[in-house]
Each structure stands twice: as C-alpha cells, then as structure tokens.
C-alpha cells in the first residue's frame, strides 16, 4: 500500500495532466462513431423518403420526412419501437380528429380541443400513443376535414416511420443489446477503478476521487439500464446471459467493492501499524486477483471467453487474506477490541467481494456450462 502511495506522490502534475488528456481524447472516439452512424442513417432515410413519397404522390412529403427523422434512434431496436408507436399513434389520432371534426362541426377550435384532450388522455394510459395527439390536432384543424386528407397525412407518417426504421436496420445497424453491452463494460471498468483506489489512502484527494468514481458508476449504471430497456431483439449477451441479470450482477458487485473499500479505508484508524504491515500484502493480492477476475468477466461480456486470461485462484487468495485478518483479530481480541472489530469488517468485505465475483461469473457463463444454482435448477 505504501509503495502505491509513494509512486503516486512522485507522479508529476505534467504526467497526470497528460494522462487525463489522453483519457479525454479516447472518450471522444465513441461519440464520433455514433455521430457518423446517425448522420449516415439520417441522410439515407431522408433521401429514400423524398424519392419514394415524391415519386408515388398522394402523400404529404413534409410529414413523411419529419416522421422519418423522428424515427431514427440510437439503436435499430429503438427505431423499430419509435416506428411502431408512431404508426399506432398516427392511426389513432387521425381517427379521433376526423370523427370529432365531422361530429362536432362548426369552428375548428371546438373539434381541436376535444380531439387533443381525448388523445392525451389515451396517451396517459398508454404513453406509446402520445403521437396521436399531434395527428388528431392536424386532422381536426382542417377547414373541410375529409377522409382522403386524413389518410394522406396518416399515410405519410406511417411511410416516413417505416423508412426511418428500415434505414436503422440497413445502414450501419447498432442493436440495442450491443449498446447495452457497452454500458455493462463501462460499469465493469468502474469496478476495476474502485479496486485500484482501495488501499491508496484516505486523504482529501482520495475522497474526492472516490466520490467522482461513484457518480460516474451511477451514471454508467443508469445508461446501461436504459439501453437494456430499449433492447427488443435477442436481449442477451453473446454468452446467452440475460442483459438485466448482468446489470444487476454488476450493481451488486459494486456494492461489495464499496463495502470492502469502506472496511479497508475507514477502519484502518483502529488497526495498528504493525497489523497493517502484516495485512497489506494479503489485501493487495486480493485486489490484484479481483482485477484479473474482472478482466475475465469483461472478456465473457465481449464473447471472447475462450481467449480470456486464465482464472487464477481467487478463492485461495481471499482465503489467505481472510486467515491473516482472522489471526490478527484473535490476537487483538483481548487487548485491542477496536482492532478486532475493524478486522472483522475487512473480513466481511473480502467475503462479499469473493461472493459477488463468483455470482456474476455464473450469470455470464454459457447457459449449458452454468452450475445448477445459476440456472435456477434445484
């Protein structure tokens, strides 16, 4: 532990600045790919909509293009969802707007108010139909609402939505599960960073780093959850593991690492320097072994399990650290009860970390290779 802190103290501000700058530049690589992909899909959808709708005639070109643009999502799954919801909403809204315009008659404002209120009430119950209020308003505002005009606008919305969805599937497609995989990998890298922080001290700077890392993990976790929610086609990792189970596994692993970190950092004030010197190598070994195990888990998420680094015996490393902490706690049980309590907290953190690493490894394993308890078999 002391060696790590000493090495960090010797790092110059220029070196730290260069490291942060490289990390910032690397973080821009992914958004650049996303921007290029969305640009290509948008251009293709707009061109296809213009050529098809203008060539066929009979449909409102403006609304077709607008609908195509609004359908392009960050993944093909999301574009499909947008297209289905917009099509259903457009059909419902056109029906409501046309029916009320014919039944109520008179100034358009009356039919407009009733149509949008009714459409939004339906959208409150089924949020996916919220586009219906837009279509209902468009149809109800027609001076002389006719079935042909309503069909023209509805058909344009449906056509644009379908073309936008097709563009997402054909032009550089990004599946929802692939985006979810990236989110899960980000959270796993955060777990590795937490392991790096353990045993590095409790200075103000280290507290700030922990707080920043915790906020980053929560942000990555929210992103991963939202991407899992948008995945409609084969919502599983390459190993067949369920996406939601994988996210929950990473979340519980993070909680275990936080417990270990708190036990090591906040309880060290009650542990003598001599006991720390004896315990530090064992805890550092757990730290290194756990990081290598997360490397293996990352490889499993990517679907490269066969080429992943061999799994060192995490259990034996944790067992040695646990035995060392238990011996120290027994020695201090009588003369220094505060140290014994602190060491038992460390033991609990070690046990939780080991258990959660085992659990997420079982979750991510190929289904046929999982133990019975990981597959729900009793």
């Amino acid at each position: 532990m002391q060696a790590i802190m000493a090495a960090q103290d010797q790092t110059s501000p220029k070196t730290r600045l260069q490291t942060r700058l490289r990390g910032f530049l690397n973080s821009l690589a992914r958004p650049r790919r996303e921007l290029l992909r969305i640009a290509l899909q948008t251009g293709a959808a707009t061109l296809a909509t213009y050529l098809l709708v203008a060539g066929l005639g009979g449909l409102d070109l403006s609304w077709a293009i607008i609908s195509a643009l609004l359908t392009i999502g960050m993944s093909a799954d999301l574009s499909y969802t947008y297209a289905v919801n917009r099509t259903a909403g457009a059909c419902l809204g056109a029906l409501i707007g046309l029916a009320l315009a014919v039944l109520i008659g008179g100034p358009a404002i009356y039919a407009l108010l009733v149509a949008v209120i009714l459409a939004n009430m339906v959208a409150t119950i089924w949020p996916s139909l919220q586009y219906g209020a837009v279509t209902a308003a468009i149809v109800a505002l027609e001076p002389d609402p006719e079935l042909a005009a309503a069909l023209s606008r509805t058909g344009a919305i449906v056509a644009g939505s379908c073309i936008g969805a097709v563009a997402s599937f054909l032009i550089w497609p990004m599946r929802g599960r692939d985006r979810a995989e990236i989110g899960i990998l980000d959270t796993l890298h955060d777990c590795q960073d937490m392991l790096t922080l353990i045993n590095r001290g409790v200075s103000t700077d280290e507290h700030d780093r922990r707080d920043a890392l915790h906020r980053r993990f929560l942000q990555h976790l929210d992103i991963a959850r939202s991407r899992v929610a948008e995945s409609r086609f084969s919502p599983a990792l390459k190993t067949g593991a369920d996406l939601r189970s994988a996210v929950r596994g990473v979340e519980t692993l993070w909680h275990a690492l936080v417990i270990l970190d708190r036990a090591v950092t906040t309880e060290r004030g009650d542990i003598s320097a001599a006991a720390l010197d004896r315990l530090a190598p064992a805890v550092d070994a757990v730290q290194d072994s756990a990081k290598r195990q997360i490397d293996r888990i990352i490889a499993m998420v990517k679907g490269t399990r066969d080429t992943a680094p061999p799994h060192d015996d995490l259990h034996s490393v944790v067992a040695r650290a646990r035995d060392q902490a238990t011996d120290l706690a027994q020695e201090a049980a009588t003369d220094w009860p505060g140290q014994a309590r602190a060491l038992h907290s460390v033991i609990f953190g070690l046990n939780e970390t080991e258990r959660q690493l085992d659990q997420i490894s079982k979750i991510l394993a190929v289904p046929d290779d999982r133990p019975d308890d990981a597959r729900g078999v009793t």
Side-chain angles (χ1 to χ4, degrees):
M1 289 186 289
Q2 289 86 351
I4 294 176
M5 295 176 63
Q8 185 177 350
D9 292 338
Q10 294 172 1
T11 304
S12 66
K14 181 180 179 181
T15 302
R16 290 198 295 269
L17 179 61
Q18 290 174 342
T19 301
R20 292 178 181 177
L21 181 59
R22 282 195 299 269
F24 173 73
L25 293 176
N26 290 335
S27 69
L28 295 179
R30 190 183 301 164
R32 285 201 301 268
R33 291 193 298 270
E34 291 289 315
L35 291 174
L36 179 59
R37 182 174 60 82
I38 294 298
L40 291 175
Q41 291 178 351
T42 300
T46 302
L47 180 61
T49 302
Y50 180 85
L51 294 176
L52 291 175
V53 175
L56 293 174
L59 299 178
D60 191 308
L61 180 59
S62 298
W63 279 103
I65 293 178
I66 291 172
S67 184
L69 294 177
L70 293 177
T71 301
I72 299 294
M74 296 301 292
S75 69
D77 306 55
L78 204 55
S79 296
Y80 170 82
T81 301
Y82 288 161
V84 171
N85 292 344
R86 191 156 290 118
T87 297
C91 293
L92 176 66
L95 180 62
I96 292 174
L98 183 63
L100 291 176
V102 172
L103 292 175
I104 295 178
I109 184 62
Y110 300 136
L112 171 66
L113 286 176
V114 177
V116 296
I117 290 173
L118 182 58
N120 267 340
M121 289 174 64
V122 173
T124 301
I125 302 173
W126 294 288
S128 60
L129 299 177
Q130 60 184 353
Y131 199 75
V134 177
T135 312
I138 295 170
V139 174
L141 280 173
E142 287 288 332
D144 297 309
E146 297 178 354
L147 180 60
L151 289 177
S152 173
R153 283 183 171 61
T154 305
I157 293 172
V158 173
S161 298
C162 293
I163 293 172
V166 170
S168 290
F169 276 94
L170 296 182
I171 309 297
W172 197 350
M174 170 68 79
R175 292 173 299 181
R177 69 177 186 180
D178 295 330
R179 280 171 41 82
E181 177 184 305
I182 294 172
I184 292 171
L185 290 173
D186 286 338
T187 58
L188 286 169
H189 288 305
D190 291 336
C191 290
Q192 286 188 315
D193 290 341
M194 173 59 78
L195 282 166
T196 301
L197 284 178
I198 294 176
N199 290 342
R200 280 178 50 169
V202 289
S203 63
T204 300
D205 184 49
E206 294 297 337
H207 279 306
D208 291 343
R209 291 185 181 187
R210 282 171 169 80
D211 291 342
L213 178 58
H214 190 69
R215 289 194 298 270
R216 191 178 75 196
F217 173 81
L218 292 178
Q219 180 182 12
H220 287 160
L221 184 65
D222 286 340
I223 291 173
R225 285 172 173 165
S226 65
R227 292 177 178 178
V228 169
E230 78 183 40
S231 301
R232 297 179 60 92
F233 305 106
S234 301
L237 294 171
K238 296 180 179 67
T239 60
D242 179 69
L243 289 174
R244 288 180 174 81
S245 298
V247 171
R248 286 195 296 268
V250 178
E251 183 179 9
T252 54
L253 172 60
W254 175 264
H255 292 159
L257 294 177
V258 170
I259 291 173
L260 178 60
D261 178 61
R262 296 295 186 269
V264 171
T265 56
T266 63
E267 302 290 353
R268 67 195 308 160
D270 292 328
I271 303 176
S272 66
L276 279 176
D277 289 339
R278 292 170 58 186
L279 181 64
V283 175
D284 288 343
V286 172
Q287 186 180 9
D288 294 337
S289 181
K291 289 176 70 174
R292 288 191 292 270
Q293 175 66 358
I294 294 179
D295 279 334
R296 180 174 180 269
I297 292 171
I298 288 173
M300 294 168 70
V301 171
K302 293 179 178 179
T304 57
R305 187 188 61 159
D306 293 337
T307 59
H311 174 40
D312 60 343
D313 194 353
L314 174 68
H315 299 290
S316 64
V317 175
V318 173
R320 285 194 294 272
R322 184 167 49 235
D323 292 343
Q324 183 69 70
T326 301
D327 292 342
L328 291 170
Q330 291 174 348
E331 293 173 7
T334 303
D335 299 331
W336 200 339
Q339 176 168 301
R341 177 188 56 78
L343 288 167
H344 282 299
S345 296
V346 173
I347 293 171
F348 178 74
L350 292 170
N351 291 338
E352 281 299 298
T353 299
E354 178 186 28
R355 187 169 71 88
Q356 296 307 328
L357 282 170
D358 278 346
Q359 184 62 28
I360 192 172
S361 297
K362 293 176 183 177
I363 291 172
L364 296 177
V366 175
D368 291 341
D369 295 338
R370 295 180 193 171
D372 288 344
D373 60 339
R375 286 183 282 142
V377 179
T378 57

